Amino acid sequence: MSSLLIIDKYDHRSDVVHSLLCVGLDSAIAKLPERFHDDPTPQFAFNRWIIDQTHPFVAAYKPNIAFYEARGAQGLHELKLTMDYLHDQHPDIFVVCDAKRGDNSTSNTGYVEEIFDWFGFDAVTLHPYMGRQTLQPFLSRADKGCIILCRTSNPGDDEYQELLVDGKPLWQVVAARVRDEWNDSANCMLVVGATQ
């Protein structure tokens, strides 16, 4: 992306296709259509089929890494095949790793190398709970996006997100902190559930 902000890649793609559509590639092996089960790389075959059907309308793809990690080396291999296919066939489409990482900074350095450098994702979802310092390996990558969990829409989402901090719900504190203090590289975004 060089001098462009990473969000510009998404915005440009969105403008080109006149769409905000992000397609999740949550390819749980047990839920794949039967016709893909005999393929030696069923998750990749399914993903390639989905990509081939949807790419004219898509601003972004978002594989959830858990469905690939669950299959060990084979699943990670198929996720890498998917990413290589996207890079080769559709390099202009924004790709998010739905990983919700947020460990200590040493572990996060490893995740940065895996997610950004080896897989080649444009952005990753992250937990804010351990603070800015632990996320710094991600935040300092101005060429990549950091999508911070803020206000989700899952059952039980209010258990922590609605806790009051100085009279404001925690999710508002997270949003303000990311906007005002964490976004030095102009590469931060927020996860906010559509129903919220």
Side-chain angles (χ1 to χ4, degrees):
M1 292 302 302
S2 64
S3 63
L4 291 177
L5 299 175
I6 188 62
I7 191 63
D8 292 338
K9 179 177 181 179
Y10 174 81
D11 288 343
H12 177 73
R13 175 66 186 180
S14 178
D15 289 345
V16 166
V17 296
H18 307 292
S19 172
L20 301 175
L21 180 62
C22 175
V23 171
L25 296 174
D26 301 348
S27 305
I29 195 76
K31 294 184 178 182
L32 296 184
E34 192 62 38
R35 70 179 186 266
F36 295 103
H37 285 250
D38 290 335
D39 193 287
T41 55
Q43 286 175 301
F44 171 58
F46 176 73
N47 290 346
R48 185 179 58 223
W49 181 78
I50 291 291
I51 292 163
D52 290 347
Q53 305 306 308
T54 61
H55 72 86
F57 317 104
V58 169
Y61 287 105
K62 183 179 63 67
N64 186 314
I65 201 167
F67 295 105
Y68 305 92
E69 290 173 334
R71 294 187 63 226
Q74 182 62 32
L76 292 174
H77 171 66
E78 293 187 46
L79 178 56
K80 180 67 169 146
L81 290 173
T82 300
M83 291 301 296
D84 290 346
Y85 185 74
L86 284 167
H87 291 146
D88 291 343
Q89 299 297 315
H90 307 288
D92 58 325
I93 298 178
F94 195 76
V95 187
V96 177
C97 180
D98 191 357
K100 299 177 185 76
R101 298 294 192 235
D103 205 339
N104 63 54
S105 57
T106 304
S107 296
N108 283 337
T109 298
Y111 290 139
V112 163
E113 292 171 4
E114 175 198 24
I115 292 168
F116 291 156
D117 300 329
W118 188 63
F119 279 121
F121 281 97
D122 296 307
V124 64
T125 56
L126 301 167
H127 277 284
Y129 192 70
M130 290 177 68
R132 177 184 179 150
Q133 182 180 1
T134 63
L135 292 182
Q136 199 58 46
F138 290 104
L139 298 171
S140 65
R141 287 292 297 268
D143 61 325
K144 300 292 183 177
C146 299
I147 308 175
I148 313 296
L149 292 173
C150 178
R151 184 64 175 105
T152 62
S153 55
N154 57 288
D157 58 1
D158 59 351
E159 183 175 353
Y160 287 104
Q161 295 171 31
E162 289 292 339
L163 289 177
L164 296 182
V165 178
D166 295 330
K168 295 180 183 175
L170 179 59
W171 67 265
Q172 282 186 3
V173 174
V174 169
R177 184 81 37 99
V178 171
R179 179 194 64 205
D180 299 337
E181 299 177 26
W182 294 14
N183 200 21
D184 295 338
S185 298
N187 63 341
C188 290
M189 296 165 252
L190 296 171
V191 172
V192 179
T195 58
Q196 298 295 346

